[in-house]
Amino acid sequence: MSSTPITPEISFESTEHQRVVIIGSGPAGYTAALYAARANLVPIVYEGLEPGGQLTTTTDVENYPGYVDGVLGPVMMEEFKAQAVRFGAEVRYGSVTQVDLSERPFKIVIDDETGLLSDTVIIATGASARYLGLDNEKRLLGRGVSACATCDGAFFRGVDLAIVGGGDTAMEEALFLTRFASKIWLVHRRDQLRASKIMQQRVKDHPKIEIIWDTIVTDVLGTDEVTGVRLKNVKDQVERELPVSGFFVAIGHTPNTALFTSWLDMDDQGYIKTLPGSTRTNISGVFACGDAQDHVYRQAVTAAGTGCMAAIDAERYLASGSEKSA
């Protein structure tokens, strides 16, 4: 996806003009839509390639307030969407493929062909977990394969688990999983970890965690649920199967922010920087929320919280008349 300014060949002579356009769905996007709609801003939401975000690949969600018995991730996202629509948000299927944030109103292109203008933009494009790229890893996602220990760890009480990774994230995930699992196998392709020394020591000292060095995961085993992983030692090439009931991938996340690289300030990982205590970016009238700007918590409830903030920030920005003064 290109993030260069819109070329003269793209005409905006007869395009629509909106007050608020929300790019991306999921807890952040739909919550932003709910609040913006209740403020009578009639927001437009473009769902993107994965309507509903990462939660659509999650089975049971038990850590979102209000769902006493838990809820299926896709069901929860449909309820978020329906609530936003009830108050006047318009949700459209399509992906934003190009933006021009050089002046207001901002220019947005959908699916490389349809253009529109907007006084404000709320970015809620989320982040994507990095996976190993194994076929069965994708097939068993949500059925024993996970990229979020905080989200799914409680489903694996009293069983053996495998986790792959070598950085601080992997150490944190492994330590969190010890609250539930009986045994954690930490698989790392090198003979030393990349994590900070203190995190390494905590993992090495924990009686439930055992590190498997110089090893990669070559397959995830199981028909309807994870029953094990196939391992390969990178030094002697010996393969073996490790019986486990769950497989966690902790090799990082990639924020879905490439579209905005030329426009917005980001950290070295690609997360959009926002001003302290707000969702405002370095461009007035552009706001960012959810996992596109949060590399710390990455939870549905925190994403929804920043979605609320972004809508309120956009409402106040519009009420101040800032878009007219530029």
Side-chain angles (χ1 to χ4, degrees):
M1 293 185 297
S2 173
S3 57
T4 56
I6 291 176
T7 59
E9 289 76 16
I10 300 175
S11 173
F12 281 86
E13 294 180 0
S14 61
T15 189
E16 61 182 303
H17 189 154
Q18 299 293 336
R19 302 207 74 193
V20 179
V21 167
I22 300 168
I23 304 175
S25 47
Y30 288 145
T31 302
L34 169 63
Y35 274 78
R38 284 175 55 82
N40 293 321
L41 297 177
V42 195
I44 303 296
V45 181
Y46 282 97
E47 293 183 298
L49 295 175
E50 189 177 43
Q54 294 184 68
L55 280 183
T56 59
T57 63
T58 302
T59 50
D60 295 311
V61 178
E62 292 189 334
N63 58 358
Y64 198 92
Y67 292 96
V68 178
D69 299 317
V71 61
L72 294 176
V75 172
M76 187 168 82
M77 286 301 91
E78 281 300 315
E79 292 180 352
F80 270 48
K81 177 180 177 180
Q83 188 175 12
V85 169
R86 174 193 167 200
F87 286 102
E90 181 181 345
V91 178
R92 298 177 181 177
Y93 181 76
S95 297
V96 173
T97 52
Q98 197 174 37
V99 295
D100 183 347
L101 306 180
S102 60
E103 61 181 356
R104 293 182 291 274
F106 303 115
K107 298 176 181 178
I108 301 169
V109 175
I110 314 302
D111 296 328
D112 293 320
E113 55 184 26
T114 305
L116 75 157
L117 303 174
S118 184
D119 295 326
T120 59
V121 174
I122 295 177
I123 299 169
T125 48
S128 299
R130 297 173 192 155
Y131 290 94
L132 299 177
L134 307 173
D135 289 339
N136 285 333
E137 179 185 46
K138 294 181 179 179
R139 185 177 61 81
L140 293 170
L141 188 62
R143 292 184 287 174
V145 173
S146 172
C148 181
T150 309
C151 307
D152 300 327
F155 298 118
F156 296 91
R157 297 180 185 275
V159 300
D160 292 356
L161 302 175
I163 181 170
V164 63
D168 278 346
T169 297
M171 305 303 107
E172 292 169 2
E173 299 270 278
L175 289 167
F176 181 83
L177 289 171
T178 60
R179 304 178 186 184
F180 311 103
S182 57
K183 178 78 175 182
I184 309 290
W185 302 93
L186 177 64
V187 183
H188 188 52
R189 64 182 305 148
R190 299 182 178 85
D191 58 3
Q192 58 183 351
L193 300 169
R194 295 180 289 103
S196 59
K197 296 298 183 182
I198 188 170
M199 293 302 295
Q200 289 189 40
Q201 199 58 50
R202 288 175 183 172
V203 165
K204 292 175 181 178
D205 290 344
H206 202 289
K208 284 189 176 182
I209 302 175
E210 184 170 337
I211 303 173
I212 303 177
W213 302 103
D214 302 311
T215 299
I216 60 174
V217 177
T218 59
D219 199 5
V220 183
L221 309 176
T223 302
D224 297 317
E225 59 185 22
V226 172
T227 58
V229 291
R230 182 171 290 116
L231 306 178
K232 179 180 180 180
N233 186 286
V234 297
K235 290 187 174 179
D236 59 23
Q237 306 302 306
V238 172
E239 293 192 52
R240 66 185 177 101
E241 293 184 1
L242 178 69
V244 292
S245 299
F247 175 55
F248 285 77
V249 185
I251 56 176
H253 288 72
T254 301
N256 303 320
T257 58
L259 181 66
F260 312 101
T261 300
S262 297
W263 304 105
L264 302 179
D265 291 342
M266 302 181 184
D267 66 14
D268 55 4
Q269 298 179 69
Y271 289 92
I272 298 172
K273 292 182 178 180
T274 53
L275 298 181
S278 82
T279 61
R280 291 177 292 163
T281 69
N282 59 293
I283 294 181
S284 181
V286 178
F287 309 90
C289 56
D291 289 7
Q293 56 88 223
D294 171 23
H295 67 282
V296 178
Y297 301 103
R298 295 196 301 268
Q299 299 298 302
V301 68
T302 52
T306 56
C308 163
M309 292 167 59
I312 293 174
D313 286 343
E315 178 189 2
R316 291 174 176 172
Y317 170 83
L318 290 168
S320 71
S322 299
E323 83 281 7
K324 297 177 183 178
S325 61

